[in-house]
Amino acid sequence: MTEFPENKSMIDVQEIQLDTQQTWQENAFPLILECKNSGVSLDDVREWVAANRDELDRKAAKHGSILFRGFPLETDQDFDAFIAAFDFPNFKYEDSLSNAVRTNRTERVFTANEAPPDVTIFLHHEMAQTPIYPSKLFFFCEHAAEAGGATPLCRSDVLFEKLQEECPDFAKNCEEKGLLYSNVMPDSDDPNSGMGRSWQSTFSVETREGAEAALSKLGYSHEWLEDGCLRATTPVLQAVRDLGGGRKSFFNQLIAAFKGWKDERNDPAKAITFGDGTPLDPADAERAADLAEDITFDVPWQTGDVALVDNYVAMHGRRTFSGTRKVLASLVAA
Ligand code: FE2
């Protein structure tokens, strides 16, 4: 049974189920598509992707995420070629305001957050703490960890419905006031932190004047610290995104900022407020994190897997791990 009538190639792709998979509004989360035949070439795969591109795009938005398993991808180049077949506009890491340190492998492909294995990266929408964010992202498991290292995924439209039921005032404040994020960027890249990207790299500048010009263009406020670090505070950013058709997602980095923006420069207590500057009740933020955890699916990475995540619908993070874990990422512009 294939759901892809456009499939005229040799490739037999079928929807499969996993025990831990979830169902929301009658849609599997994530959708899991497995390539059933061995010996297919990457060119065959690219042809199949190109023929089914629109359908895959629609399914990503509907399900929140698609996990591709059993496709013949081994290297960063294979992953790049797979993504290229979708013909989505590329979002370059260097153009982002991401606070993670990353290394480019190809023009489209870079290492996912390189924070140490014992650091949990909490659930978030990619770059929703900045005014510039990708619409979708791809992950590729180049090498699965010995233990742990799953990518947790959470349907944040489902989460927002739950928040509206359980913490209606908090949900309303998020929707109406938006959020302000504040973080301290180091004077040079700090690879030991999940948010160690220097201010020079973040804003693609070499001088303080350059950084100030970029900050003011983006509507940020800022403060230079004695040690050369930069505290930057965003303009008011949306915390809830209208997905159309009555769907709304909890589109922000509230959980990640509240629980995880912690390093030698950053204190989570100072990381986030409502858009009018009023503080969040920590109990509400904790409740949001707990509710999200309750509805999280952990991608059980196998080497060669690819996940396509609709960044407006699903949040992602990273579990701690042991051994070597190499998960690569690529972003799609809005
Ligand atoms: Fe991320």
Side-chain angles (χ1 to χ4, degrees):
M1 173 210 75
T2 172
E3 296 196 9
F4 296 96
E6 295 297 315
N7 185 2
K8 299 187 187 93
S9 66
M10 300 284 292
I11 296 197
D12 176 19
V13 177
Q14 292 187 21
E15 186 178 339
I16 63 160
Q17 274 81 39
L18 289 179
D19 288 350
T20 52
Q21 204 172 8
Q22 305 177 356
T23 303
W24 300 111
Q25 293 133 10
E26 299 178 2
N27 293 314
F29 177 67
L31 177 66
I32 307 175
L33 299 178
E34 187 170 61
C35 179
K36 289 291 188 185
N37 36 5
S38 55
V40 294
S41 70
L42 191 54
D43 281 345
D44 290 337
V45 170
R46 283 169 48 81
E47 202 179 298
W48 176 82
V49 167
N52 294 288
R53 182 172 45 216
D54 294 345
E55 182 63 11
L56 290 167
D57 194 9
R58 270 194 297 278
K59 284 186 184 293
K62 192 167 143 192
H63 291 262
S65 177
I66 304 175
L67 178 62
F68 298 91
R69 179 157 281 180
F71 289 80
L73 306 180
E74 290 178 9
T75 66
D76 47 13
Q77 300 289 338
D78 295 345
F79 179 41
D80 186 292
F82 179 78
I83 302 162
F86 283 86
D87 201 27
F88 292 143
N90 185 29
F91 182 116
K92 287 186 187 169
Y93 167 66
E94 64 204 56
D95 294 340
S96 79
L97 302 169
S98 161
N99 43 23
V101 177
R102 292 167 176 181
T103 311
N104 263 88
R105 290 281 196 87
T106 73
E107 198 190 331
R108 283 189 198 80
V109 172
F110 47 81
T111 56
N113 195 317
E114 294 185 78
D118 59 343
V119 173
T120 296
I121 298 175
F122 292 95
L123 289 165
H124 60 278
H125 284 280
E126 190 65 17
M127 298 174 197
Q129 84 286 18
T130 83
I132 311 163
Y133 36 78
S135 60
K136 288 181 264 291
L137 55 161
F138 287 93
F139 292 111
F140 170 59
C141 181
E142 188 180 38
H143 190 289
E146 224 160 78
T151 294
L153 297 175
C154 171
R155 278 274 299 256
S156 83
D157 54 343
V158 177
L159 173 61
F160 190 61
E161 272 180 19
K162 291 186 181 294
L163 285 168
Q164 285 178 305
E165 284 163 22
E166 298 206 15
C167 334
D169 293 340
F170 172 69
K172 188 164 178 279
N173 278 332
C174 285
E175 188 168 10
E176 289 178 0
K177 295 181 179 179
L179 295 167
L180 293 171
Y181 302 85
S182 188
N183 77 301
V184 178
M185 301 172 198
D187 197 21
S188 59
D189 279 352
D190 172 6
N192 292 317
S193 164
M195 46 188 310
R197 193 181 184 193
S198 71
W199 56 263
Q200 293 92 334
S201 167
T202 303
F203 297 110
S204 307
V205 298
E206 284 170 10
T207 63
R208 288 190 176 198
E209 291 71 29
E212 285 168 1
L215 286 157
S216 113
K217 199 170 163 198
L218 291 159
Y220 280 60
S221 56
H222 72 277
E223 178 191 351
W224 293 104
L225 306 183
E226 275 178 18
D227 54 5
C229 295
L230 172 67
R231 172 177 288 284
T233 303
T234 64
V236 178
L237 299 175
Q238 64 180 346
V240 176
R241 186 178 177 92
D242 192 341
L243 300 173
R247 278 168 98 198
K248 288 177 181 174
S249 66
F250 193 57
F251 183 77
N252 57 62
Q253 287 224 359
L254 188 150
I255 294 168
F258 176 75
K259 295 192 73 88
W261 284 17
K262 189 168 20 177
D263 62 12
E264 57 188 52
R265 293 167 298 278
N266 286 282
D267 170 2
K270 295 182 183 163
I272 187 164
T273 65
F274 286 118
D276 60 2
T278 52
L280 272 62
D281 183 338
D284 287 331
E286 202 63 66
R287 187 78 190 112
D290 289 347
L291 284 171
E293 185 63 32
D294 288 348
I295 56 169
T296 288
F297 170 84
D298 277 352
V299 176
W301 287 120
Q302 292 182 4
T303 297
D305 283 351
V306 171
L308 168 58
V309 179
D310 187 309
N311 193 39
Y312 299 144
V313 180
M315 294 193 278
H316 65 276
R318 190 197 73 186
R319 302 287 188 198
T320 58
F321 63 95
S322 58
T324 303
R325 174 192 192 266
K326 290 204 174 108
V327 173
L328 306 179
S330 182
L331 307 177
V332 178

